[in-house]
Amino acid sequence: MLATRPPPTEAHEVHGLRFREAMYRALAEKAPIPVVLSDVRSGEIVFTNQVANDVFNHGQSPVGAATLDFYENPEDREVLFATLRAEGGLREYPLRLRRSDGSVGEFLVYMLPSPIDDRVLVYSYLLDVTRQRVAEHSLERRNDDMERILANVGEGLLMIDRDGVIQGERSAAVDRWLRAPRAGEKLWELTGDRDSSFGQWLELGWEAVVDGVLPLELCLEQLPRLLRLEDRFIEVAVTPITDAAGEIEQALVVLSDKTEAVARERAEREQRELSSLFDRLLRDRAGVVEMAEETERMLQQLDTGPAPGDAIRLLHTLKGNFGLFGLGALAEICHELESSATESGVAPTREARAPLTMAWERVEERLGVFLDARDDDHVELGHAD
């Protein structure tokens, strides 16, 4: 028969506890962080390793002391031990402790009870996380600063990855001018919701950028830049960010409101075109008058709210007439309205046609100065709202 092992006696159990205690003590002495062994009931210090002595007690052992006076807030000790008794052990308990040089650090406390004889001892492992906390607080401050910047900066700022997917944070202007991007949404999908032609060209252009077949500068130059919204024009600038090998990883996208700049450019262009129109007026007065009368009739028809097909036809005719008489700015506005109506299937509203109406009113006002109202070929200028 096999010999049976006798049941453990109390002496065996005590021997086992003491062996475990000796093992813990040996490990604590070698630990690279402060370790303190204390009596849970009395608070008496039973053991400290040299690291704890150096950090908290000027290199001297406090063994036998009633307690280590290293709490920044003395009340924290009672709370700490009450929590230990309630939970039976602690992991990553945050505590602010005062070092022997007077500085205060942030520590994570691990407490492991170790009953021995008639005492309940506890090993306290003190992990100094001050540097990590400082770094975290610094990062939090930077993040807060960045959030304030993104909330108040005038431009729209966002990042996209190599596939064009919108990444992370963005400035408030993006949501204000466009909308909040959906998870996993690509830049051309977001912009295409407001200007489908722009979105389509952007997708094709970005594919050429990441393919790398053509020179990067050439591909970037081919990207569409002016996004047309209902009430404004937004310039879209894309700046790729490459890795060490020169491969595109991300891109910074900057959206800038160019509405006023576009309006100024159009006004300057209109002025130049008006000069050409006045030259045409001297040579072909009847033709200019006929064009003005026809323009008035078609604008009035647009005011009546025609069907989408009829509105597109009227805008197309206006675009052609303006082009023939050198009024490129007006022709361009008509083209934008025609394209929008064709894509949406909806006739442009009065608000959408406002740029066309105002631009024509500026032309007819200047023409009115030169046209002789007493002439049989005169036209009653003054488009009704």
Side-chain angles (χ1 to χ4, degrees):
M1 294 180 61
L2 294 174
T4 58
R5 179 176 297 178
T9 64
E10 183 178 346
H12 284 104
E13 292 178 354
V14 171
H15 177 75
L17 288 173
R18 286 178 174 168
F19 177 78
R20 187 177 64 178
E21 171 66 20
M23 181 181 66
Y24 284 164
R25 183 79 60 91
L27 291 173
E29 289 175 346
K30 302 291 186 182
I33 63 174
V35 181
V36 178
L37 178 64
S38 58
D39 189 307
V40 173
R41 297 189 183 93
S42 67
E44 178 189 351
I45 304 300
V46 178
F47 163 81
T48 56
N49 68 353
Q50 190 58 46
V51 179
N53 298 339
D54 293 339
V55 173
F56 297 113
N57 206 44
H58 301 281
Q60 303 299 313
S61 173
V63 170
T67 185
L68 263 176
D69 185 21
F70 59 4
Y71 298 92
E72 182 190 33
N73 182 1
E75 296 176 356
D76 286 348
R77 182 183 184 281
E78 296 302 324
V79 177
L80 173 67
F81 277 88
T83 307
L84 172 65
R85 286 189 291 271
E87 300 187 8
L90 293 178
R91 290 177 56 85
E92 298 186 351
Y93 185 92
L95 204 59
R96 289 176 62 83
L97 303 176
R98 192 178 304 280
R99 305 183 186 92
S100 55
D101 63 3
S103 63
V104 175
E106 297 193 36
F107 290 79
L108 294 180
V109 181
Y110 299 75
M111 301 186 78
L112 176 66
S114 178
I116 185 71
D117 295 333
D118 60 345
R119 311 174 74 182
V120 178
L121 306 180
V122 61
Y123 277 98
S124 299
Y125 297 84
L126 311 175
L127 179 61
D128 191 340
V129 293
T130 306
R131 290 184 178 179
Q132 293 94 313
R133 292 291 184 263
V134 170
E136 290 171 3
H137 295 331
S138 177
L139 181 59
E140 289 174 359
R141 286 194 298 271
R142 286 198 298 270
N143 288 341
D144 290 342
D145 291 342
M146 182 57 68
E147 288 180 2
R148 283 193 291 271
I149 291 172
L150 291 176
N152 294 282
V153 69
E155 289 80 14
L157 303 175
L158 56 86
M159 298 290 294
I160 61 173
D161 65 12
R162 181 182 175 87
D163 296 324
V165 177
I166 299 169
Q167 304 290 296
E169 298 294 328
R170 62 191 179 275
S171 68
V174 175
D175 293 10
R176 186 168 64 250
W177 292 335
L178 304 174
R179 58 169 171 76
R182 293 184 286 266
E185 189 169 29
K186 297 181 178 180
L187 180 61
W188 44 84
E189 294 170 342
L190 177 65
T191 55
D193 271 359
R194 305 296 299 276
D195 184 341
S196 60
S197 177
F198 183 95
Q200 292 166 3
W201 280 109
L202 180 60
E203 181 178 8
L204 292 173
W206 185 250
E207 287 179 0
V209 169
V210 297
D211 283 346
V213 176
L214 298 174
L216 178 59
E217 292 75 12
L218 177 61
C219 293
L220 291 175
E221 190 65 29
Q222 300 304 311
L223 292 178
R225 292 187 65 84
L226 201 61
L227 174 64
R228 186 184 73 245
L229 307 182
E230 290 82 357
D231 58 346
R232 67 186 66 243
F233 291 89
I234 303 297
E235 182 183 68
V236 181
V238 181
T239 303
I241 300 173
T242 58
D243 59 17
E247 293 292 325
I248 294 175
E249 288 186 330
Q250 295 177 302
L252 170 65
V253 182
V254 180
L255 310 180
S256 304
D257 189 347
K258 296 296 182 181
T259 305
E260 292 185 1
V262 170
R264 284 195 302 271
E265 290 172 4
R266 281 185 169 174
E268 293 170 357
R269 182 178 176 184
E270 288 173 8
Q271 187 62 39
R272 293 193 299 270
E273 292 172 353
L274 271 173
S275 298
S276 298
L277 184 62
F278 293 149
D279 292 339
R280 176 75 173 265
L281 183 63
L282 295 176
R283 293 181 281 106
D284 183 16
R285 183 185 183 87
V288 173
V289 169
E290 183 180 358
M291 180 274 294
E293 290 175 337
E294 187 175 8
T295 298
E296 284 294 313
R297 284 195 299 271
M298 288 189 284
L299 290 177
Q300 288 171 0
Q301 290 178 51
L302 285 171
D303 283 343
T304 64
D310 293 334
I312 291 171
R313 177 184 57 77
L314 288 168
L315 289 167
H316 187 78
T317 303
L318 284 169
K319 178 177 68 174
N321 289 349
F322 290 144
L324 286 173
F325 282 83
L327 298 174
L330 279 163
E332 186 176 287
I333 296 174
C334 290
H335 175 72
E336 293 169 359
L337 292 170
E338 179 188 359
S339 298
S340 178
T342 301
E343 293 169 3
S344 65
V346 178
T349 63
R350 182 181 294 271
E351 291 75 15
R353 297 196 318 274
L356 173 61
T357 302
M358 291 186 291
W360 171 247
E361 287 175 349
R362 288 192 293 271
V363 172
E364 67 177 1
E365 181 182 0
R366 300 295 296 276
L367 278 176
V369 176
F370 290 87
L371 290 175
D372 185 0
R374 292 170 299 179
D375 194 286
D376 291 339
D377 291 334
H378 81 282
V379 59
E380 294 291 338
L381 295 175
H383 172 59
D385 290 334

